[in-house]
Amino acid sequence: MDIGRNYVRVALADLVGDIVARRDEPSRADHPAELIAQLTGLAAELLAGAGLTAEDITLSVFGTPGIHDKETGALLLAPNLPGWELPGAVERLAEVVAAPYVLENDVDLAAVGEGAYGLGQGVSHFVFVSIGTGIGMGVVIDGRLYRGSRGAAGEISYLPVGEGDPRVNPGRGMFESVASADGVLALARRLGLDAATAKDVFDAARAGDATAGRVLAAEVDHIAHALAGVAAVLDPELVVLGGGIGAQAGDLLAGPVAERLESLVALRAPRIQISSIGPDAVLLGALAVGLAAARDQVFEQTVALA
C-alpha cells in the first residue's frame, strides 16, 4: 500500500511477484480514522475479487511519508498526513489486514522500486529524489538502501536551500517550502501568474509564458543547489527525479538541473534522469520488500513443517 496525501495505491501480489489485483483512489488523508477505513475497504475489495480472505495474506507492506517513531507509534515529519503524528497512530495499520505488516518510508520504497524495476538496476550508488506535495530522498549505497541511525536519512526537505528564515514554517523544511508543489504555486502567484496548481505553472512554462519561465528557473536553481549538497556528501552515480513534479515537469527540469549542477560540484556531476516507473515507484518498492520478506517467511514455515 502506497499511502500519500493525494492518492492511495493498493496492490495484491502472489509470491511469484505478479500483481493480481490493484486499486488507486484519491486519498482520504485529512483524518486518520477515515484513511484507515479507506485502506481496510480497499484491501477487502481486492481480496474478495481474488477469491481470498485476510488469512491468505502472508505480509502487508505500507509506504508512508515521514519517520515511524517506534517508541511512541507516531509518524514524524509527515505534515501531509495530519493526525498521524499522535502517539499510537501507526499501530492502527494492524486493523487493515489481519497479517504481519512492515512500515517503510515511501521515498525509501521508491528508491527500492527504482533499483529493482527501473533506472537503478545495476547501479550501486544512486538516490531517488521525490518532489511533489512533499520532498524526500531515498539513498542506495553499495546496492543497499541506507536508512541512517534513526531512519531519517534522505530527509532533504530540511536542507537550508531556498529563501527566508527556515524557522518560519517549522512543519516543513526550508527546501520543501520553496520547491514543493505548494512552493512553486506560491511563487507563481506572487509573480502575478493566475494558476490553480503547480502543473498549471509548468504547462504555462512549456507554452512559453515568461512569468512561468521565471518560476521554472527558480525551481531548477533550488533543486540544483540541494543536489549539490547531496553530491558533495554521497557522490552518487545517478539521481532519479520522481514524485508529482518529476512526472509533470521532468522534461523541463532534467536538462537544466544537470547543466546548473555542473557549475556547483567539485567533480563531474551525477547523471540526472526522470523515473522510468513514475507513480508506481513506491508500490513497486513495497512489492520488492514484501516479496523478499514473505518468501523468507514461507520458506521458514515450510522448513519447520518438514
Side-chain angles (χ1 to χ4, degrees), residues 155-166 173-176 178 222 225-226 229:
E155 288 294 329
I156 60 169
S157 65
Y158 287 85
L159 284 175
V161 173
E163 306 161 354
D165 187 339
M174 188 174 181
F175 178 42
E176 186 172 273
V178 296
H222 294 322
H225 275 85

Side-chain angles (χ1 to χ4, degrees), residues 11-288:
L12 178 65
D14 58 26
L15 286 176
V16 176
D18 293 332
I19 293 178
V20 298
R22 174 174 171 172
R23 285 285 302 276
D24 296 9
E25 282 188 1
S27 177
R28 302 176 196 164
D30 288 334
H31 193 278
E34 292 183 10
L35 186 54
I36 290 294
Q38 179 183 21
L39 297 174
T40 303
L42 285 171
E45 288 178 21
L46 291 188
L47 288 167
L52 302 173
T53 67
E55 288 69 30
D56 294 312
I57 300 300
T58 303
L59 183 72
S60 298
V61 181
F62 299 95
T64 71
I67 306 301
H68 179 202
D69 184 342
K70 296 181 181 179
E71 291 185 3
T72 65
L75 197 62
L76 307 179
L77 306 181
N80 288 321
L81 292 182
W84 287 75
E85 75 281 2
L86 299 175
V90 169
E91 275 67 23
R92 296 201 60 184
L93 291 173
E95 303 171 18
V96 175
V97 180
Y101 70 91
V102 173
L103 176 66
E104 293 277 6
N105 174 267
D106 54 357
V107 186
D108 282 350
L109 286 180
V112 172
E114 200 71 48
Y117 302 101
L119 297 172
Q121 294 180 83
V123 181
S124 296
H125 302 271
F126 76 93
V127 296
F128 182 99
V129 178
S130 178
I131 305 176
T133 55
I135 294 178
M137 181 176 73
V139 180
V140 173
I141 299 175
D142 287 331
R144 299 176 64 87
L145 181 67
Y146 178 72
R147 294 181 175 85
S149 64
R150 291 171 295 177
E155 288 294 329
I156 60 169
S157 65
Y158 287 85
L159 284 175
V161 173
E163 306 161 354
D165 187 339
R167 297 168 296 180
V168 170
N169 188 355
R172 289 184 178 274
M174 188 174 181
F175 178 42
E176 186 172 273
S177 293
V178 296
S180 67
D182 286 346
V184 168
L185 188 59
L187 176 58
R189 288 175 173 173
R190 287 201 304 272
L191 294 177
L193 185 67
D194 183 17
T197 66
K199 182 178 184 300
D200 292 340
V201 178
F202 295 124
D203 287 345
R206 196 175 284 110
D209 183 272
T211 302
R214 290 173 60 191
V215 179
L216 175 64
E219 181 75 351
V220 167
D221 195 61
H222 294 322
I223 294 172
H225 275 85
L227 292 183
V230 170
V233 175
L234 296 177
D235 187 26
E237 175 185 342
L238 169 68
V239 174
V240 179
L241 295 180
I245 287 180
Q248 295 164 3
D251 60 316
L252 300 175
L253 292 172
V257 167
E259 183 177 354
R260 183 75 178 92
L261 192 57
E262 286 288 351
S263 66
L264 297 173
V265 298
L267 300 176
R268 187 173 63 182
R271 291 183 286 121
I272 309 293
Q273 293 183 267
I274 305 303
S275 173
S276 62
I277 53 179
D280 288 340
V282 177
L283 204 61
L284 290 174
L287 175 61

